[in-house]
Structure formats: C-alpha cells, structure tokens
Amino acid sequence: MRIDGRTNDAIRPVKLTTGFSKFAEGSCLIEMGNTMVLCCASVEERVPPHVQSGGWITAEYSMLPRANRERTKRDVSKLKLAPRSAEIQRLIGRALRSAVDLELLGEHTITIDCDVLQGDGGTRTASVTGGFVALALACRKLLEEGKIEAMPLKGYVAGISAGIVHDELLLDLCYEEDSNAMVDLNCVMSDDGRMIELQGTGEERPFTLEEQQALVRLCAKGNAELHAMQKAVLGELV
C-alpha cells in the first residue's frame, strides 16, 4: 500500500468540472488527488503568421504563487517565462494539436490556459487531460454557432505519470512519491491506445527497457480510465 492507501496501479480520485469559467469558450477544473488545475480555452478568429492553412492550437501554463508548499514568484516578476513553464506549455500544445484536424478548425486559434491552483504532482499531465476537455467544449461551441462545418477533433487525449519509487513501479505519483522517485515517466496517449508523448528520466539510477515498457503499460491503464472520464463528461465527440 502507498502513502495514500492506493495500490501500485491505481490512479488518484479524479474530478472534472466543466463550465467552471463563465467567459471562456470552454473550461474545465481538473482535480487529481490534491492537484488542481484550471484549464480555459479561448477562441480567436485569426492564426499566427507561420500558419499557412487551417487553424492553430497553443497553450500557456503557470502555477499560482502559493500552489506549492512554499510561495514561488510569478514569471512576470522575473520579466521572463520560467524554463519549466515554457517546456510544459509546449508539451501541452503539442499534445492537444495531435487531437485536432487543423484544416477543419479553419482560421481559428484556440489557446488553452492551464493555471495550477494547487500542485501535488502530475500538474503537466493533469493540464493535458483537463486541457483536452476545455478544448473539446470550445470546438463544440464553434460548431453549434456555425463557425465551423464539422467537429475537428480526431480523438481524445489524456496524460498521466508513472515512476519507480524504492524499486516499486507506481502509477500517478503524488508529490511525496515524485520527489523520491528513482525513475519518473510522463505519458500522453490517444483513446485508441497510441502514444503521443513519452518523457522518461532516470532521476537516481538508469532504467531498463523492460522497466520502461512496464511503466508505459501502467500509464496505458491510467490513461484509459481518464479517457472514460472525459467521455462521461463530454459524450462521444468523434
């Protein structure tokens, strides 16, 4: 049993609250254990200069100053985006673009803002999972308003972490587990079981191919559960 009573292959309690923000075209507050991330999707009728055809999906990520155990300074106070925030928001953007037919989206840019209200491990993967729900709601609104002709989503996207802690393979690490992990792995998957992004790091020791595959199998189980929750709140979109 783990420090919170879960079995090694169990995810934390998950809650997806849609329509959390009054003004965003799509929004979702995702809670995974004690991690809470507010994901808001905003639609603009324009695209960046580098986009020659179709639309664009991008993301921004930040943590509130007291999302963690100690206060951290806002990025704006340092007059630059923190490297960690930049890396994570690129991950979120890549992951969510993989789920969208950008041609069907037309000349629209959808920005997913992921703000961590409380961080207790797995904030980047929770941002992907909640961010997809917000994105899907924004796409549904565009379709209902007649601004696009067909739903541009190609499938569902979710992300989850796994790791090796004291030589035990664990799914969905909380902060205490993550901070003591020998190996840390994040996996983003589509609902047909294909991988979109895989990030694995040997924190305290190298890991074997067999261990990597075992961790990915854990993540596949967790992501399948998250996809089912997404479908429960969104319905079948594609």
Side-chain angles (χ1 to χ4, degrees), residues 34-68:
N34 290 320
T35 287
M36 302 171 61
V37 185
L38 176 58
C39 306
C40 294
S42 300
V43 179
E44 298 175 273
E45 294 184 353
R46 63 177 184 84
V47 294
H50 72 272
V51 176
Q52 301 301 311
S53 178
W56 190 245
I57 307 294
T58 188
E60 294 189 10
Y61 169 97
S62 66
M63 300 187 76
L64 294 186
R66 203 53 207 271
N68 282 321

Side-chain angles (χ1 to χ4, degrees), residues 214-231:
L215 290 171
V216 170
R217 284 192 293 270
L218 277 178
C219 288
K221 176 183 181 295
N223 278 324
E225 295 177 34
L226 293 173
H227 289 134
M229 295 177 196
Q230 290 174 326
K231 292 176 181 179

